[in-house]
Amino acid sequence: MKLVVVSAGLSVPSSTRLLGDRLAAVAAPAASAPEPAPADVQVIELRDLAVEIAHTFTNGFPAPALADAFAEVAAADGLIVVTPVFSASYSGLFKSFFDALSVTDEDALTGKPVLIAATGGTGRHSLVLDHALRPLFAHLKAVVVPTGVYAASEDWGAEGLDARIGRAGTELAALMAGLSGSATVRRPPRRDSFEEVTPFEQRLAALSVPGPSPAP
């Protein structure tokens, strides 16, 4: 089982990368339980791919390093995506990566469990999870984990962050384990003939209420 962390942090060290690592530390062992070996974790640092991401939009195809990153995301059983907050939203680098991915493979995230997370200087931007990140990954047809994690500067070392990390990581692990072990969904048989469809008039007649009996 493979877990991929996509980090859009720009600095070294990066609180964005740190948050991604802490979430992966919870999700990786939980996803593979009861097996003793945790899920394989791959980290993609977007700052190392910034030039290749920009060139994708002008060249029309990804460079080898970026193509490898896209392949890792597509092959993942689950994703942890973490962005710093810029102008009350995700960073341009973060959005550009997933824009380029969707151009290359529009179904890369379809049905894939995704844990959304963000870092910022103040707690006032915590709504970025529900107002920006969640709609983005819903549009990309991913299965977004119910609990997102936002970490402001004052949250590090404070009570509450560890609990949110634990809850979100456990939810991602449950989705990864459930989807990887689920049986193939059986679709209803296809109707090949209109003759099998009940006419609308018959359906309407079956729902109609008899009127009152005529007076003697």
Side-chain angles (χ1 to χ4, degrees):
M1 188 172 293
K2 177 182 288 189
L3 174 62
V4 172
V5 179
V6 178
S7 170
L10 299 178
S11 60
V12 181
S14 165
S15 60
T16 302
R17 170 65 187 271
L18 175 60
L19 181 57
D21 288 344
R22 290 185 60 179
L23 288 164
V26 173
S32 60
E35 297 295 328
D40 179 41
V41 178
Q42 176 74 32
V43 179
I44 298 173
E45 290 276 12
L46 297 188
R47 69 170 179 269
D48 298 331
L49 300 170
V51 174
E52 287 85 350
I53 292 171
H55 285 172
T56 299
F57 295 103
T58 56
N59 297 340
F61 59 89
L66 184 59
D68 290 344
F70 288 165
E72 292 286 350
V73 169
D77 296 292
L79 290 178
I80 296 172
V81 298
V82 197
T83 178
V85 174
F86 292 154
S87 301
S89 188
Y90 35 63
S91 72
L93 179 61
F94 181 87
K95 180 64 160 53
S96 295
F97 175 81
F98 287 103
D99 282 345
L101 172 63
S102 64
V103 169
T104 304
D105 181 1
E106 63 180 4
D107 294 320
L109 298 185
T110 299
K112 196 179 298 295
V114 175
L115 193 168
I116 56 174
T119 58
T122 172
R124 292 194 299 270
H125 294 310
S126 61
L127 290 178
V128 69
L129 296 174
D130 291 323
H131 286 212
L133 286 166
R134 197 174 297 277
L136 170 63
F137 288 96
H139 173 74
L140 295 174
K141 295 172 286 190
V143 180
V144 184
V145 171
T147 300
V149 179
Y150 178 83
S153 298
E154 63 267 20
D155 289 330
W156 297 102
E159 184 178 358
L161 180 59
D162 286 344
R164 296 198 302 275
I165 289 173
R167 182 167 61 251
T170 301
E171 290 173 355
L172 175 63
L175 280 173
M176 290 173 61
L179 292 178
S180 65
S182 61
T184 302
V185 177
R186 294 187 177 182
R187 294 179 172 84
R190 178 179 176 181
R191 295 182 184 272
D192 294 322
S193 172
F194 286 106
E195 295 177 357
E196 300 179 14
V197 179
T198 304
F200 175 73
E201 292 79 3
Q202 293 184 21
R203 292 180 178 271
L204 188 61
L207 294 174
S208 62
V209 179
S213 301

